[in-house]
Amino acid sequence: MSIPKNGYEQAAISLAPLETDMTLEDFIKSDLEGYEYAKGKLIPIAPPTMEHGEISMNLSFLLSLHVRENQLGRVYPADTDFKLGDRLVKPDIAFVSTARLPENRVQASPVPPDLAVEVVSPTDIQYRVVEKAFAYLNAGTQIVWIIEPVGKTVTVYRSRTDIKVLTSEDTLTGEDVVEGFSCKVTQLFE
């Protein structure tokens, strides 16, 4: 007798990257949804959970309010495409400063975000999450926040060697990227 897999176990099986002969330009022109593109592979996007949505909305609300009040730039949701060299990614939340906003905004962003935020899903693979954080940094993103719901932590990446893990006792700040922004890590998980 085989035990049926739950939806998230089944999703993990189907989240393996798929080889493709599509170029990045072909992928951008396609209407293929539910994937990111990296180095000739289609990377399935993990299905978001309610918890994932709540965390994203908590941070998005706080960040958007601060950015708007201080006219620092724009905050983008998870369905916004960003080109990172040979990749097309959809961060859960992204911030682009006013100075770096491209004129043509009816396409995938040709510039990487100043800040990229990824909320870890139950089916995400740690290796891919870290690889994506470094892909952002290599493309010019100044700071990456990886939010991990189980441990209720935020890992802040500034470079391959400047990495900090914040816990519920800490305050998350925008440092010099989103100047003046701060919130308690616990606020993300309320």
Short mmCIF file of all heavy atoms in Angstrom, two decimals, residues 4 39 47 130 138 175 179:
data_model
loop_
_atom_site.label_atom_id
_atom_site.label_comp_id
_atom_site.label_asym_id
_atom_site.label_seq_id
_atom_site.Cartn_x
_atom_site.Cartn_y
_atom_site.Cartn_z
N PRO A 4 -0.38 8.20 0.15
CA PRO A 4 -0.46 9.37 -0.72
C PRO A 4 0.36 10.53 -0.15
O PRO A 4 0.42 10.73 1.05
CB PRO A 4 -1.95 9.72 -0.74
CG PRO A 4 -2.58 8.94 0.36
CD PRO A 4 -1.63 7.85 0.77
N LYS A 39 19.92 30.37 -16.55
CA LYS A 39 20.95 29.64 -17.28
C LYS A 39 20.38 28.47 -18.09
O LYS A 39 20.86 27.35 -18.01
CB LYS A 39 22.01 29.13 -16.32
CG LYS A 39 22.66 30.21 -15.50
CD LYS A 39 23.61 29.62 -14.47
CE LYS A 39 24.11 30.71 -13.56
NZ LYS A 39 24.87 30.21 -12.44
N PRO A 47 4.71 26.98 -4.56
CA PRO A 47 3.38 27.55 -4.28
C PRO A 47 3.39 28.24 -2.93
O PRO A 47 3.84 27.67 -1.94
CB PRO A 47 2.46 26.33 -4.29
CG PRO A 47 3.35 25.16 -4.01
CD PRO A 47 4.71 25.52 -4.55
N VAL A 130 19.99 30.12 -1.24
CA VAL A 130 21.28 30.79 -1.07
C VAL A 130 21.87 31.16 -2.43
O VAL A 130 22.38 32.27 -2.62
CB VAL A 130 22.26 29.91 -0.25
CG1 VAL A 130 23.65 30.53 -0.20
CG2 VAL A 130 21.71 29.70 1.15
N ASN A 138 25.44 39.36 -7.07
CA ASN A 138 26.34 39.39 -8.23
C ASN A 138 25.82 40.33 -9.31
O ASN A 138 26.60 40.90 -10.07
CB ASN A 138 26.54 37.99 -8.80
CG ASN A 138 27.34 37.10 -7.89
OD1 ASN A 138 28.07 37.57 -7.01
ND2 ASN A 138 27.19 35.79 -8.07
N GLU A 175 19.30 49.78 6.48
CA GLU A 175 20.70 50.24 6.43
C GLU A 175 20.81 51.45 5.52
O GLU A 175 20.00 52.36 5.59
CB GLU A 175 21.61 49.08 6.04
CG GLU A 175 21.53 47.90 7.02
CD GLU A 175 22.43 46.74 6.67
OE1 GLU A 175 23.49 46.98 6.06
OE2 GLU A 175 22.08 45.61 7.02
N GLU A 179 16.95 53.90 3.54
CA GLU A 179 17.34 54.72 4.69
C GLU A 179 16.15 55.02 5.59
O GLU A 179 15.07 55.37 5.13
CB GLU A 179 18.00 56.01 4.23
CG GLU A 179 19.37 55.74 3.65
CD GLU A 179 20.17 57.02 3.43
OE1 GLU A 179 20.04 57.96 4.23
OE2 GLU A 179 20.93 57.03 2.45
#
